Amino acid sequence: MKKIVIASDSFKGSIDSLEVASFLEQGFAAHCPQCRIVGVKVADGGEGTVEAIASIKPVNWFCVQVSDPLGRRIPARFAVSDDDGTALLEMSQASGLPLLQRRERNPLVTSTFGTGELIGAALDKGCRKFIVGIGGSATNDAGTGMLSSLGVKFLDKNGRVLEGCGQNLEKIEHIDLCGFDPRLKDCLFEIACDVDNPFCGQRGAAYVFGPQKGASPLVVERLDKGLEHFALVVRRELGKDIAATPGAGAAGGLGGAFLAFFNSVLKTGVDVVLDSIGFDSIIEGADLVITGEGKMDFQTASGKTPYGVLMRARRQGIPTVAVAGMVNHCQVLDNLGFKKIYATAQPGIPFETLVSKEYTGARLKEIAALILKENEA
């Protein structure tokens, strides 16, 4: 092989995207020094999305103080592209699950208010075009926190203003747009998400993602009823039907908020990133593409990084292998069309070791040698 492109997402809690490429490249160099290795940073709308785009495009970085999911003031970064002034944001910077300790997770009270503050800061910089990654949220407030930050008021049956959070969705009876930031009417939002779940229902935001955010079964049911109620209010007052829209359930319903209140389009996060970095040109002439993520399972086919990379390589007839920290094989995953899927995890190894950078790096180097051997045979 003369050219190998490595485009893996991070192995969260272990190594980042470029470290995956670096360890694999070291393994290839030891056995095939004449092979050209091209490593690129990629993501699918969650953590690392802005950095992936910024690794190719010149940007200016800004740091502002925002509210975290529980209202505490924290620093958060966003970037502005030099070429066209596009704001590049990640909601996880302000409203992400990693900002909370496990005992603090409670989607009844967490809020996307800080995400709205990030958008406001970008508006102040003159940005009118936005790319927003919405993966990795700690929230289930349907974006009401974000919208409250930008001037929308949500009122209960007695006309009282409600805070934007999951437990208040079921109480909303009226939406007051009088204070909605007027600059937003001139803005275009490209929303990068890594799931296609609807707003509510059994495949919606609460049932699918609520438990990982700290919701018990009873809380999940309450949150889903709140989402369903809010969708009805949105349809009645704004004429937008978001309940069953694919992707509207992303980030605890934040995807639906963007569709209902903004001039926006939802896109598969990995496609937003791959288009932004010119991935189709990068892989031209490659003999092999390698992709991956921390864990591959049935969800991989729902817009995760490995699936997006596989589809791009397939269009050019380039074989693709995947490397993951852990692999849960299932019919959906095994039928996607990867030439092979490798796992760094091995039986009998303690979890703390499996996620360590030292172990993962060593395994990636071993897997690189296997990939060369099996693709030269």
Side-chain angles (χ1 to χ4, degrees):
M1 290 186 288
K2 297 179 180 179
K3 179 181 177 181
I4 299 174
V5 176
I6 306 171
S8 171
D9 206 335
S10 63
F11 290 14
K12 291 180 177 60
S14 182
I15 58 177
D16 67 27
S17 175
L18 289 182
E19 286 175 324
V20 175
S22 176
F23 284 123
L24 285 170
E25 184 172 2
Q26 292 174 46
F28 288 128
H31 299 88
C32 187
Q34 74 277 14
C35 185
R36 179 188 172 206
I37 308 298
V38 180
V40 293
K41 188 176 181 66
V42 292
D44 56 17
E47 182 181 349
T49 295
V50 173
E51 288 187 351
I53 298 173
S55 68
I56 299 295
K57 290 187 173 184
V59 302
N60 289 310
W61 287 94
F62 298 94
C63 185
V64 294
Q65 291 290 313
V66 301
S67 299
D68 81 353
L70 294 177
R72 299 169 296 205
R73 302 302 286 176
I74 60 169
R77 296 200 310 163
F78 68 95
V80 178
S81 173
D82 277 353
D83 55 5
D84 61 1
T86 297
L88 308 172
L89 287 73
E90 291 174 13
M91 74 89 64
S92 60
Q93 278 281 308
S95 312
L97 196 61
L99 297 173
L100 303 180
Q101 297 181 35
R102 184 169 292 274
R103 60 180 174 78
E104 295 177 320
R105 298 179 182 180
N106 184 353
L108 287 172
V109 300
T110 49
S111 170
T112 54
F113 193 91
T115 296
E117 291 177 307
L118 268 181
I119 293 172
L123 288 171
D124 292 342
K125 296 295 181 184
C127 299
R128 296 298 180 266
K129 182 179 179 183
F130 292 75
I131 294 177
V132 184
I134 62 172
S137 75
T139 55
N140 198 109
D141 70 351
T144 53
M146 172 188 71
L147 292 162
S148 297
S149 172
L150 295 168
V152 180
K153 292 181 180 179
F154 297 98
L155 310 176
D156 68 10
K157 63 182 179 180
N158 297 314
R160 291 177 296 202
V161 178
L162 298 166
E163 291 185 6
C165 59
Q167 65 186 357
N168 284 339
L169 293 176
E170 60 192 7
K171 303 174 186 176
I172 296 172
E173 294 298 333
H174 177 61
I175 301 170
D176 182 352
L177 296 174
C178 293
F180 199 26
D181 195 317
R183 297 174 293 181
L184 290 165
K185 70 179 185 298
D186 299 320
C187 296
L188 175 64
F189 286 80
E190 187 172 322
I191 309 304
C193 58
D194 60 356
V195 298
D196 59 1
N197 300 76
F199 196 68
C200 51
Q202 290 296 315
R203 289 195 64 251
Y207 275 101
V208 176
F209 305 111
Q212 70 191 37
K213 300 174 185 181
S216 67
L218 287 177
V219 169
V220 165
E221 185 176 350
R222 179 181 174 187
L223 289 170
D224 186 65
K225 289 180 178 178
L227 289 165
E228 183 180 7
H229 173 75
F230 183 63
L232 290 173
V233 175
V234 167
R235 185 172 64 181
R236 183 183 71 223
E237 302 209 353
L238 304 183
K240 304 286 184 68
D241 191 351
I242 58 175
T245 304
L254 186 65
F258 276 110
L259 288 173
F261 292 84
F262 296 79
N263 180 18
S264 66
V265 57
L266 294 185
K267 291 188 175 182
T268 303
V270 64
D271 285 328
V272 172
V273 172
L274 297 181
D275 287 340
S276 296
I277 67 174
F279 187 71
D280 292 343
S281 296
I282 291 172
I283 62 174
E284 285 182 0
D287 299 293
L288 183 71
V289 170
I290 302 173
T291 186
E293 60 182 337
K295 181 179 180 181
M296 293 181 65
D297 54 23
F298 71 95
Q299 296 185 77
T300 298
S302 299
K304 299 294 186 179
T305 293
Y307 182 72
V309 171
L310 172 67
M311 293 299 101
R312 298 300 181 101
R314 180 179 291 174
R315 291 176 199 167
Q316 297 191 31
I318 306 169
T320 305
V321 300
V323 182
M326 299 181 184
V327 180
N328 285 351
H329 286 281
C330 60
Q331 187 172 0
V332 172
L333 179 61
D334 294 339
N335 289 343
L336 287 181
F338 290 105
K339 189 171 183 180
K340 189 166 183 177
I341 302 175
Y342 301 85
T344 60
Q346 293 175 304
I349 306 296
F351 179 77
E352 294 75 13
T353 301
L354 290 177
V355 298
S356 69
K357 182 178 295 189
E358 294 76 12
Y359 174 86
T360 303
R363 283 287 295 143
L364 287 171
K365 293 175 188 178
E366 293 174 1
I367 289 170
L370 280 175
I371 291 173
L372 281 175
K373 180 179 179 181
E374 293 173 2
N375 283 274
E376 288 175 349

